Amino acid sequence: MNLPSLPSLRSSGLPTLRLLAVATLVALSTALWYLVSHQLRDESDIRWFSAPPNCDLHRAPCTVTLGEHGFLELTAMADGRIQALEPLPLTVAVEGVEARSVRVDLVGRDMDMGLHRFPLEWQADGRFHGEGQVPICTEARMDWQARVVVETSDGRLGGRFDFTVERSTP
């Protein structure tokens, strides 16, 4: 009976060991990505206010009343309808609240599409401006929500604006 020598056992097990190490690294990276993603999305301290159902960001700015604090208005300046992968100029006006910073997060309403965060810059006109982009989706129609988060000295206030993007056909 011939038994394999010690060097041949080591060489035959090495590819398997490397494969297991790579699989472990991939699993750890995935777990870390989920943890970081969850931390970035922490919205537990935001007081949310929703836009009225007749709000249509494709056609006009939409306004949300921030309770007794004031209001915010979101304008998505698209040429025509909001489209995936097209630059989307965003403007937020805040009244009745001293805003330290403003950001817009685009999230899928019924499907996890990841976190798409766009910080806006305060401008001399008293509004916050920036540019966003709706990601591409394999669905012909995708429901999105623009979440505007306003940082104030009294905490965070947010407005939710629903809109739909339909894939254009060539």
Side-chain angles (χ1 to χ4, degrees), residues 146-164:
R147 296 181 181 170
V148 178
V149 178
V150 179
E151 300 273 348
T152 73
S153 58
D154 295 327
R156 298 193 297 173
L157 301 171
R160 293 179 172 149
F161 303 86
D162 293 335
F163 66 101
T164 300

Side-chain angles (χ1 to χ4, degrees), residues 71-124:
F71 70 91
L72 70 83
E73 178 184 80
L74 172 63
T75 304
M77 296 173 276
D79 287 336
R81 298 192 56 80
I82 299 170
Q83 296 293 320
L85 299 180
E86 294 291 323
L88 182 62
L90 300 167
T91 300
V92 172
V94 181
E95 295 290 331
V97 174
E98 179 89 23
R100 292 180 175 171
S101 66
V102 173
R103 74 170 194 254
V104 177
D105 295 343
L106 298 179
V107 297
R109 282 199 327 245
D110 302 320
M111 183 186 306
D112 184 4
M113 296 293 290
L115 178 63
H116 305 279
R117 181 166 286 169
F118 306 98
L120 306 183
E121 301 272 333
W122 184 83
Q123 302 294 316

